[in-house]
């Protein structure tokens, strides 16, 4: 059944289709053969462990990427607040805080996505 599910998501030119806005599919870190079929899928453990962790890492990766998009949206929103502040110190301070907080959030999400991607690649190859 898993092979049938996986074949629905595979493409003819490779195992990993390009994601929507860089989002990864749920099966990104699962072990695959050259013909794009899932190899040794374990639901409740076994000799190689459970693959729920790898599926969970792919979902966490997607959620972190969405958080990055939200942070970019807040940077844009802070820029609009800054432009429309018309020199008011309160509005300008609010806009600067929004931009600073959004940039901190963006840096955190970029580092977290890199860490989750590294972890998923390491655990997926095991």
């Amino acid at each position: 059944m898993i092979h049938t599910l996986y074949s629905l998501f595979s493409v003819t030119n490779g195992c990993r289709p390009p994601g929507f806005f860089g989002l990864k599919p749920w099966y990104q870190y699962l072990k695959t053969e050259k013909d794009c079929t899932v190899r040794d899928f374990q639901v409740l453990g076994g000799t190689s462990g459970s693959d729920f962790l790898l599926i969970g890492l792919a979902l966490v990766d997607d959620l972190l990427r969405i958080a990055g998009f939200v942070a970019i949206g807040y940077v844009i929103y802070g820029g609009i607040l800054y432009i429309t502040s018309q020199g008011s110190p309160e509005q300008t301070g609010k806009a600067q805080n929004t931009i600073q907080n959004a940039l901190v959030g963006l840096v955190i999400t970029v580092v977290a996505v890199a860490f989750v991607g590294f972890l998923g690649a390491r655990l997926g190859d095991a």
Side-chain angles (χ1 to χ4, degrees):
M1 176 174 165
I2 295 301
H3 295 291
T4 307
L5 274 176
Y6 189 76
S7 65
L8 290 174
F9 295 102
S10 65
V11 293
T12 57
N13 60 353
C15 293
R16 307 284 187 223
F20 180 71
F21 284 123
L23 299 178
K24 299 191 184 280
W26 62 269
Y27 53 86
Q28 175 70 31
Y29 299 121
L30 295 178
K31 302 172 199 98
T32 57
E33 298 290 338
K34 290 184 181 183
D35 63 349
C36 298
T37 57
V38 175
R39 174 175 44 109
D40 299 330
F41 185 79
Q42 299 290 325
V43 176
L44 297 175
T47 58
S48 65
S50 176
D51 286 332
F52 280 128
L53 177 64
L54 297 174
I55 294 170
L57 281 174
L59 295 176
V60 167
D61 192 339
D62 285 344
L63 291 175
L64 288 170
R65 288 172 188 263
I66 291 170
F69 290 136
V70 170
I72 291 171
Y74 269 103
V75 169
I76 294 170
Y77 172 69
I80 291 171
L81 285 179
Y82 191 79
I83 290 170
T84 60
S85 68
Q86 299 178 350
S88 170
E90 302 87 30
Q91 295 292 337
T92 304
K94 180 182 174 186
Q96 288 175 346
N97 284 337
T98 301
I99 293 171
Q100 288 174 354
N101 291 337
L103 289 176
V104 167
L106 185 61
V107 168
I108 289 171
T109 57
V110 166
V111 170
V113 165
F115 178 71
V116 168
F118 173 77
L119 190 61
R122 290 291 180 189
L123 292 176
D125 288 341

